[in-house]
Amino acid sequence: MTERMLLLGNEAMAHGLVEAGCSVVASYPGTPASEILSGVAQWQARYQLPMHVEWAVNEKVALEIAYAASQAGLRAATAMKQVGLNVASDPFMSAAYLGVKGGFLVISADDPGPHSSQTEQDSRLMAMSAKVPVLDPDSPEQALELVKTGFELSEAFQVPVMLRPTTRVCHANQDILPGPVAPSERKALFEKNPARWAATPNFRHRLHLELEEKLARIAAWEPTAPRLFNPAATAPRAIVAAGVAASHAREVLCDLGLQDTLPLWQVVQPYPLHSGFITDILEKYDDILILEETAGVMELQLADRYRVKGKCSGFVPAVGELSPEKIAGIIAAFAGIPVEEPPVPPAGGGRRPTLCPGCPHRASFYAIKKAAPKGIYPSDIGCYTLGTNLGGVDTVLCMGAAVSQAAGFYQAYKLGGEVPDIVATIGDSTFFHAGIPPLIDAVVQDARFVLVILDNATTAMTGNQPTPALGWGAGGVPTATVDMEGVVKACGVKFCKTGRPGDLPAFTALVKEAVSFARTEGLAVVIARQPCVVDRTFKGERPPRRKVGISDDCNGCRYCVDQFECPALVYDEEQKRVVVDTLICTDCGVCIDVCPRMAIEEVGQ
Ligand code: SF4
Ligand code: SF4
């Protein structure tokens, strides 16, 4: 017996997974998808379900673990953000050919905007490229339902299915009545079939043909057929919308008084678009507006440049989220009616994003700049990307790229001229995710740089999920651990030393030692180990607190504000000097070693 609940979109999808009898779920955290797996762990505990739920080391591993469970006949799922799907793209593409046995759902959450991603890429395009059907929910409630539909589709046609929510679905809350949950009765049973599961190129050709046949049948599967929102509307033009854009379009039609005249079709399966639907709307309408995020996936399949208006045609912006205001303007222009310009909100004061007060990464970047002031600083994906504002981050490409880019800079400079100091930074979780293969490569190729692993004992940016070094997994269950120093040394690194960045003088000396080693001997790794200041899951010992105050020696030079940028150090325009904002100061005491006039001093508690 279930009851109505106010659920986050990610929690709703998690509930859909347990309702559908999904037995194995694996994920790597990434906004906006992170709460899907923690939601599954929460429901698993609540309903006492026999499931395997894990934070995997990266998205490729997560997908492969879940896929194997599907090959063994269980329902399985993996969840990730859209750039995570890039990491998992290799098994994703191949799994489409091999097909599945138990239902297999790949949830890839997109981030139009983007709010917290490197790209605005559309996972539906990746699904199209892999020839995997994709479902596009407009709300948390529909996302929950489409999880169950996705498993039915997957098992009916023996294919992986993608569910593609966007940030507005993942992070919206909705009052939902979830369905009943019961433990899955299935037991894993892998039936050997090398011609399929270990297919050679000859068999792959046949599997590709089978996949094309499946797609043709999926394009006529009734449960995912497009629906007309307003059947009474009979204009010679129509809107076709998917995902959150469909939800906005419904509201906008009513606001503009067009709900009885302008037909609105909602598509939940943008790929493969239903073939009968394509024929029907091209026969019925002279003018078709496509509303979808973020690329023109449905528009590409309609392939009528003269009647179809969308992202490819330039009628709908190709970049950014489709907000209700934007959609109102687009629909009004399509319908040929005037629309009032939305009021422009007053510009907020705002401040640029920065690391938290007391964040150990701030001390690490400060030490790196002291140790290698003219260095090149490749960095990586994580909250430490905010080190850009501190001048400690020169490049950010993708997970793990800090290590390979540091090696690439070294090899490029070595070809001629003087090699500069190169100090790369990577987070602990990112190191385990994608930093190990490039570290091995750098050792083998004798690339000489310093790698600082910013080990704050958590995956901080996505909500403090565990890393392989911590000894606990999804839902807090105990796990084995992997020793970071041991991994670094096993990669062949000769210099591997650990320090605490909050002890700024000692840590700066350690980074200088590493820089000197890299100049003459080879690759050096420094592990900057200090827990994340806002991680409530951290159970170990924290560094001693040192309450600080500003003495009369402060001459208002702003060095600490500009070079260290702790938000708790505030320049007071009236006093023309710095003061400590005691509401947000965490008493880390690191700034004591920053002021050149020693005007920041420890004071009693
Ligand atoms: S505390 Fe020190 S560094 Fe900061 S403004 Fe005052 S004198 Fe300058
Ligand atoms: S002690 Fe200094 S560096 Fe630490 S949070 Fe307070 S003001 Fe910031």
Side-chain angles (χ1 to χ4, degrees):
M1 180 77 177
T2 52
E3 57 193 20
R4 295 199 78 82
M5 292 186 236
L6 186 65
L7 295 180
L8 193 69
N10 284 341
E11 293 171 319
M13 284 181 268
H15 206 281
L17 290 170
V18 296
E19 282 180 42
C22 185
S23 298
V24 172
V25 189
S27 175
Y28 183 81
T31 309
S34 304
E35 300 83 5
I36 297 173
L37 192 97
S38 45
V40 173
Q42 168 193 319
W43 302 128
Q44 178 199 14
R46 178 183 292 194
Y47 300 119
Q48 297 289 301
L49 298 170
M51 297 178 70
H52 176 73
V53 184
E54 78 159 73
W55 286 118
V57 73
N58 64 33
E59 296 85 353
K60 178 179 185 290
V61 173
L63 192 147
E64 289 160 352
I65 286 167
Y67 180 63
S70 156
Q71 287 178 303
L74 303 182
R75 285 191 166 182
T78 181
M80 58 199 70
K81 69 181 295 178
Q82 88 285 25
V83 289
L85 185 63
N86 299 344
V87 177
S89 59
D90 207 354
F92 179 63
M93 299 274 169
S94 202
Y97 276 43
L98 303 184
V100 307
K101 191 172 169 207
F104 180 51
L105 199 62
V106 177
I107 305 178
S108 182
D110 283 358
D111 186 20
H115 297 276
S116 58
S117 306
Q118 305 95 298
T119 69
E120 285 192 282
Q121 70 193 64
D122 190 329
S123 295
R124 301 174 312 157
L125 273 181
M126 192 82 101
M128 204 172 167
S129 175
K131 302 189 176 178
V132 165
V134 56
L135 307 177
D136 194 353
D138 67 5
S139 60
E141 188 170 36
Q142 193 179 67
L144 187 156
E145 288 307 317
L146 288 184
V147 166
K148 294 185 281 186
T149 308
F151 278 116
E152 286 161 23
L153 174 59
S154 177
E155 290 183 349
F157 296 93
Q158 299 282 290
V159 284
V161 170
M162 178 188 285
L163 179 70
R164 192 293 299 252
T166 55
T167 303
R168 300 292 173 190
V169 171
C170 294
H171 288 173
N173 278 287
Q174 191 171 5
D175 174 26
I176 294 173
L177 179 63
V181 175
S184 169
E185 300 284 318
R186 297 190 194 183
K187 297 273 178 279
L189 177 63
F190 176 68
E191 290 169 311
K192 291 176 190 265
N193 181 1
R196 180 178 178 193
W197 302 127
T200 53
N202 193 27
F203 287 109
R204 295 276 171 157
H205 176 78
R206 198 197 70 211
L207 289 170
H208 191 184
L209 282 173
E210 283 176 13
L211 178 58
E212 288 293 341
E213 286 161 13
K214 288 177 189 176
L215 285 171
R217 287 188 284 127
I218 291 168
W221 197 55
E222 214 289 316
T224 56
R227 302 273 182 259
L228 184 57
F229 161 67
N230 45 358
T234 54
R237 53 165 62 110
I239 301 171
V240 176
V244 173
S247 166
H248 293 334
R250 282 196 298 272
E251 283 180 18
V252 166
L253 275 190
C254 296
D255 290 349
L256 297 178
L258 296 171
Q259 71 274 21
D260 296 328
T261 50
L262 188 53
L264 168 63
W265 289 89
Q266 179 171 6
V267 171
V268 295
Q269 181 184 286
Y271 177 79
L273 202 51
H274 278 62
S275 43
F277 173 69
I278 295 175
T279 309
D280 279 356
I281 62 164
L282 289 176
E283 273 176 17
K284 211 180 278 179
Y285 304 114
D286 301 333
D287 215 2
I288 300 164
L289 171 64
I290 308 285
L291 295 171
E292 57 186 326
E293 287 178 317
T294 314
V297 169
M298 295 190 291
E299 194 181 351
L300 282 171
Q301 293 169 85
L302 282 166
D304 186 327
R305 292 259 157 202
Y306 301 102
R307 279 185 289 166
V308 177
K309 295 184 167 74
K311 287 179 171 266
C312 305
S313 74
F315 196 81
V316 177
V319 175
E321 261 190 313
L322 289 179
S323 63
E325 295 76 22
K326 272 191 204 168
I327 286 183
I330 294 164
I331 291 180
F334 179 67
I337 60 169
V339 66
E340 273 181 38
E341 285 292 317
V344 180
R351 62 167 172 81
R352 61 183 190 168
T354 188
L355 296 162
C356 302
C359 173
H361 299 336
R362 178 176 287 104
S364 293
F365 286 121
Y366 189 79
I368 289 167
K369 285 195 299 176
K370 285 281 174 200
K374 294 186 178 156
I376 299 176
Y377 309 132
S379 193
D380 224 291
I381 307 292
C383 49
Y384 48 92
T385 301
L386 294 170
T388 315
N389 295 340
L390 296 164
V393 170
D394 289 328
T395 68
V396 177
L397 184 63
C398 63
M399 296 286 278
V403 189
S404 353
Q405 284 187 287
F409 283 126
Y410 174 79
Q411 305 297 2
Y413 273 94
K414 199 183 71 172
L415 293 174
E418 195 180 333
V419 179
D421 294 329
I422 301 166
V423 185
T425 45
I426 189 168
D428 45 352
S429 186
T430 312
F431 173 70
F432 286 117
H433 177 288
I436 297 168
L439 185 61
I440 294 170
D441 188 87
V443 168
V444 170
Q445 299 297 329
D446 193 23
R448 298 182 180 191
F449 58 89
V450 178
L451 174 65
V452 179
I453 303 177
L454 302 168
D455 179 6
N456 59 358
T458 187
T459 314
M461 192 162 74
T462 48
N464 295 121
Q465 292 82 11
T467 77
L470 298 181
W472 59 276
V477 296
T479 63
T481 58
V482 170
D483 170 49
M484 187 182 287
E485 280 89 343
V487 170
V488 169
K489 287 175 186 164
C491 290
V493 175
K494 299 285 183 297
F495 182 113
C496 176
K497 295 192 180 179
T498 301
R500 185 173 73 82
D503 182 355
L504 197 52
F507 189 74
T508 307
L510 175 58
V511 181
K512 281 183 179 169
E513 185 190 345
V515 168
S516 171
F517 184 90
R519 281 178 192 154
T520 54
E521 310 267 340
L523 200 156
V525 171
V526 172
I527 299 176
R529 180 162 291 149
Q530 187 168 323
C532 166
V533 74
V534 297
D535 179 10
R536 295 202 187 114
T537 66
F538 184 74
K539 303 281 188 307
E541 199 179 331
R542 289 196 175 270
R545 293 166 77 109
R546 299 171 76 197
K547 196 173 180 60
V548 301
I550 311 291
S551 79
D552 290 343
D553 288 339
C554 172
N555 66 356
C557 72
R558 295 186 62 102
Y559 176 84
C560 57
V561 175
D562 295 336
Q563 296 301 316
F564 197 61
E565 213 181 66
C566 174
L569 292 172
V570 182
Y571 187 77
D572 185 318
E573 292 292 346
E574 274 184 19
Q575 296 186 58
K576 301 287 181 222
R577 50 175 283 178
V578 158
V579 293
V580 176
D581 181 345
T582 52
L583 280 178
I584 59 171
C585 172
T586 62
D587 300 340
C588 75
V590 175
C591 53
I592 293 170
D593 295 305
V594 170
C595 172
R597 292 177 63 82
M598 291 187 283
I600 306 178
E601 50 188 24
E602 189 166 355
V603 295
Q605 292 298 317

